[in-house]
Amino acid sequence: MIAKLLIANRAEIARRIIRTCRELGISPVAVFSDPDTDAPHVREADAAVRLPGASPAETYLRIDALVDAAKAAGADAVHPGYGFLSENADFARAVWAAGLTWVGPDPEAIEAMGSKVAAKKRMAAAGVPVLPELDPGSTTEFPVLVKASAGGGGRGMRIVRSPGELAEQVAAARREAESAFGDGTVFCEPLLEGARHVEVQILADAHGTVWTLGERECSIQRRHQKIIEETPAPGVEPEARQRLFDAATKAARAIGYVGAGTVEFLFTDDQRFHFLEVNTRLQVEHPVTEEVFGVDLVAWQLAIAEGERLPEHPPEASGHAVEARLYAEDPAQDWRPATGTLHRFHVPDGVRVDSGVEDGSEVGVHYDPMLAKVIAWAPTRKAAIRKLATALDRSAVHGLVTNRELLVRTLRHPAFVAGDTHTGFLHQHALVEPPRVDIWPLALAAAVALAEIRGTNLPLGWRNLPSHPQKTVFEFAGETVEVRYRHTRRGVLTDSSVCVVRASPSEVVLERDGVRKALSVAVYGDLVVVDGVALRLVPRFPEPQARLAEGATVAPMPGTVVRVAVQPGETVEPGAELFVLEAMKMEHRVLAATGGTVAEVLVQPGEQVDAGDVLAVVEAAS
């Protein structure tokens, strides 16, 4: 029987496992890197062991350090969570060799599915439909998808539409896979345009019972990584659903699978499907299955690791659940990750929130930018979608750029509500570019709230003679917004049709054309958040700043330079790739803003850079 469990992971999934440990009476032990010293999962565990260093390679990917941590804490079992070493057979073997219980499938099953190339061959032999494998070095069939053989989460994955870009994209996929999983092996397969990503949750014990706990629709993706998942999947007919379950069961039995896992498929409109992979671990999106089937998958993982039997039949499904992943990233800037302080994090009651952050959390560059998962259950799909969209819309996530508004727009899009989803959904419906924001009323609310905060015993803006209006300037989306207003006996007056009805430091009520609206306001230094929209206060007397050289290309985020694509003296066109940075386990391209000649290259591969560091200078053509 497991008494003390080491959780070989961090953030949201570590907190999720700790929650189940508390319910079962198991003592949870956390591990933490130096950036995670004050993380919530560290405080919530009964004990925590430091893994010196910051990068995953120094910490959460070190098998020896994790096994030593389990021994030092007196743990008798290890749960790997997801990501990092959760699908590493050597880690499972090392845990066993240390005399500890491994909460997951046998190393042989992990190894069998750890290579997607070998896994496809094994599944084909078991009668599971698969796509043909293409050689990355010689394929002539396009478009193709380049994929990492190890790992998942969209890392090491590239779409290639022409022979000319194949070599470059294969090399990029190999670099990203090596960084994320320690294995740079990649392969190619035909790209099925418009296909859906559907997966089946399996749970198997060591006594021969295999459960299939419904299918999940996971087609809403960015950079080949899921951001919205739901169960049951819309548009899957009963006969096709049963074939999916049968194929997933065949896959599990073919490798003697034990524990929780997921069999993933590409699903086409004609109700056919092809095997993608088996994730030999808990999935990020497992909460939607838990909500619909009324199970705790982590509790079952622990019970199966202790040798317990599953009942003969799984529980019945009830209702519908939808999950959205909240990321610290800017969708409009090629999903650029955001770092810094999360001043406020609050999601309204009525939905499930699995998060790795809280008010005041620091989000750095070393790990995945996911902040939380928000999950809604309801008796019907339509009701679950509405519930989730409303909760996200009313959430407070202050201090970082996030994908919150993109998630809301997606959930409320008519095509999504109709169940017409596929892996290219975001781009087909142009959802990545944010809609225009009527910023002036929000800036007015911010200015008036700031005035309330600065208020004295005199009436705000009081003068014994008429005077010039008050002026406040904000920066929003790279542009300045100027607000002018007067405080009078009749209240706050502006030159616009917007009237200030009532104001306090935290709420301003505006009226336009007879319609009143209350706007929430939160102030964090020079950052003012009005109804979820962030404005930056421009100081009246700004500090002098060093001017960048004309044509300077700066790092858009902190990260590591993994590729320098140009040399001094080289001529580049606007939009040409200059550098590739790695941040938050993903690669990000830095492109030339203008064409011209590269005058200087100031960084080398492997170099760490901060946001705003000058990487190169491109002199514009005369």
Side-chain angles (χ1 to χ4, degrees):
M1 191 168 72
I2 296 171
K4 184 176 286 190
L5 180 73
L6 182 110
I7 303 163
N9 218 295
R10 63 180 296 279
E12 173 269 325
I13 185 57
R15 298 180 82 188
R16 163 71 188 88
I17 296 168
I18 289 171
R19 192 163 65 242
T20 290
C21 285
R22 293 282 179 232
E23 293 172 358
L24 297 178
I26 295 172
S27 177
V29 178
V31 290
F32 63 95
S33 64
D34 292 340
D36 282 339
T37 298
D38 298 318
H41 77 274
V42 178
R43 295 196 309 273
E44 292 171 4
D46 285 348
V49 182
R50 177 180 174 234
L51 304 174
S55 70
E58 297 172 296
T59 55
Y60 300 105
L61 289 175
R62 278 193 57 191
I63 292 175
D64 58 338
L66 291 165
V67 172
D68 288 345
K71 292 178 179 177
D76 50 13
V78 174
H79 194 306
Y82 52 66
F84 293 130
L85 293 171
S86 61
E87 296 179 280
N88 188 299
D90 289 338
F91 184 35
R93 289 192 180 98
V95 169
W96 277 4
L100 308 174
T101 298
W102 168 255
V103 182
D106 292 351
E108 290 72 22
I110 298 174
E111 209 156 51
M113 296 295 104
S115 165
K116 293 184 177 65
V117 175
K120 288 177 67 172
K121 294 176 180 176
R122 191 156 184 166
M123 291 300 106
V128 179
V130 301
L131 286 170
E133 180 192 339
L134 308 175
D135 183 352
S138 60
T139 183
T140 57
E141 184 178 341
F142 294 91
V144 298
L145 194 60
V146 181
K147 300 176 69 174
S149 183
R155 295 173 182 85
M157 194 177 292
R158 296 289 191 280
I159 292 175
V160 181
R161 299 189 179 278
S162 64
E165 57 180 308
L166 181 61
E168 178 184 342
Q169 295 299 335
V170 166
R174 282 177 174 150
R175 284 195 308 271
E176 199 167 83
E178 180 67 40
S179 173
F181 316 119
D183 183 349
T185 305
V186 299
F187 67 100
C188 291
E189 63 186 18
L191 177 66
L192 297 183
E193 304 270 19
R196 295 165 56 194
H197 188 129
V198 176
E199 62 190 28
V200 177
Q201 175 71 56
I202 58 172
L203 194 63
D205 63 21
H207 308 283
T209 301
V210 178
W211 281 2
T212 53
L213 290 169
E215 82 288 350
R216 296 187 289 250
E217 159 68 49
C218 306
S219 297
I220 306 299
Q221 302 179 2
R222 56 81 163 129
R223 299 189 69 164
H224 312 294
Q225 190 170 43
K226 309 160 192 172
I227 59 171
I228 296 176
E229 304 99 347
E230 60 180 306
T231 190
V236 176
E237 296 174 2
E239 183 271 337
R241 177 173 286 114
Q242 189 57 54
R243 285 192 288 114
L244 278 168
F245 293 170
D246 291 344
T249 302
K250 284 181 182 178
R253 295 196 185 283
I255 56 175
Y257 198 83
V258 173
T262 305
V263 188
E264 302 195 346
F265 301 93
L266 277 178
F267 193 92
T268 53
D269 288 341
D270 59 2
Q271 302 291 302
R272 298 171 63 194
F273 54 85
H274 299 85
F275 171 82
L276 279 175
E277 60 184 333
V278 175
N279 292 126
T280 55
R281 55 172 168 80
L282 200 64
Q283 288 281 80
V284 178
E285 58 273 20
H286 75 274
V288 294
T289 298
E290 293 184 324
E291 295 299 309
V292 166
F293 284 88
V295 297
D296 182 333
L297 289 174
V298 175
W300 270 116
Q301 284 185 296
L302 295 168
I304 289 169
E306 292 177 329
E308 288 193 25
R309 291 177 177 269
L310 290 167
E312 184 178 355
H313 300 292
E316 293 292 325
S318 174
H320 200 97
V322 189
E323 170 184 293
R325 303 189 194 184
L326 190 63
Y327 281 96
E329 64 186 12
D330 189 346
Q333 298 295 323
D334 196 26
W335 313 100
R336 180 187 300 169
T339 59
T341 303
L342 183 63
H343 296 294
R344 177 76 171 130
F345 178 73
H346 173 73
V347 180
D349 293 338
V351 293
R352 171 175 168 176
V353 181
D354 287 10
S355 75
V357 295
E358 58 189 11
D359 291 358
S361 288
E362 291 292 328
V363 178
V365 300
H366 298 289
Y367 312 114
D368 187 278
M370 188 174 76
L371 303 176
K373 304 176 310 196
V374 184
I375 307 101
W377 179 92
T380 66
R381 181 174 185 267
K382 184 177 179 180
I385 292 170
R386 178 183 288 136
K387 188 175 183 180
L388 179 58
T390 301
L392 287 167
D393 196 26
R394 295 178 179 174
S395 295
V397 189
H398 299 167
L400 297 173
V401 178
T402 72
N403 67 337
R404 182 180 66 91
E405 290 192 7
L406 170 72
L407 295 171
V408 174
R409 291 197 303 274
T410 303
L411 289 165
R412 289 176 172 167
H413 194 279
F416 181 85
V417 175
D420 183 15
T421 60
H422 54 83
T423 54
F425 186 91
L426 297 181
H427 290 285
Q428 178 190 350
H429 297 288
L431 288 165
V432 175
E433 282 296 325
R436 286 188 60 83
V437 176
D438 186 6
I439 196 64
W440 196 88
L442 303 181
L444 173 62
V448 173
L450 286 171
E452 290 287 329
I453 292 171
R454 293 192 296 260
T456 65
N457 291 328
L458 290 174
L460 286 175
W462 183 87
R463 298 287 190 279
N464 62 352
L465 293 171
S467 65
H468 290 291
Q470 303 289 312
K471 184 178 81 169
T472 310
V473 182
F474 298 96
E475 189 272 334
F476 173 76
E479 299 182 0
T480 57
V481 184
E482 184 176 291
V483 177
R484 292 178 181 269
Y485 60 96
R486 283 188 177 91
H487 285 280
T488 72
R489 289 184 177 86
R490 291 179 295 150
V492 177
L493 298 181
T494 71
D495 295 331
S496 77
S497 61
V498 180
C499 301
V500 179
V501 177
R502 188 169 60 253
S504 74
S506 60
E507 183 181 80
V508 176
V509 180
L510 301 181
E511 182 175 306
R512 174 188 272 175
D513 300 329
V515 179
R516 292 188 178 186
K517 181 173 175 56
L519 303 174
S520 64
V521 182
V523 179
Y524 311 96
D526 63 351
L527 177 69
V528 186
V529 183
V530 183
D531 258 23
V533 177
L535 301 98
R536 187 72 62 175
L537 179 65
V538 177
R540 293 181 62 191
F541 306 105
E543 293 289 330
Q545 293 183 345
R547 292 190 60 184
L548 291 173
E550 188 173 347
T553 297
V554 300
M557 71 201 82
T560 304
V561 179
V562 296
R563 172 173 156 82
V564 177
V566 292
Q567 298 295 326
E570 191 173 330
T571 301
V572 296
E573 297 293 326
E577 181 182 291
L578 303 180
F579 304 92
V580 176
L581 300 183
E582 183 188 44
M584 294 184 172
K585 300 163 68 178
M586 299 288 281
E587 289 193 354
H588 306 271
R589 301 169 72 213
V590 180
L591 309 179
T594 60
T597 303
V598 179
E600 293 181 273
V601 175
L602 303 174
V603 293
Q604 299 177 347
E607 192 171 334
Q608 296 281 333
V609 296
D610 289 323
D613 284 357
V614 179
L615 307 178
V617 176
V618 178
E619 293 180 347
S622 58

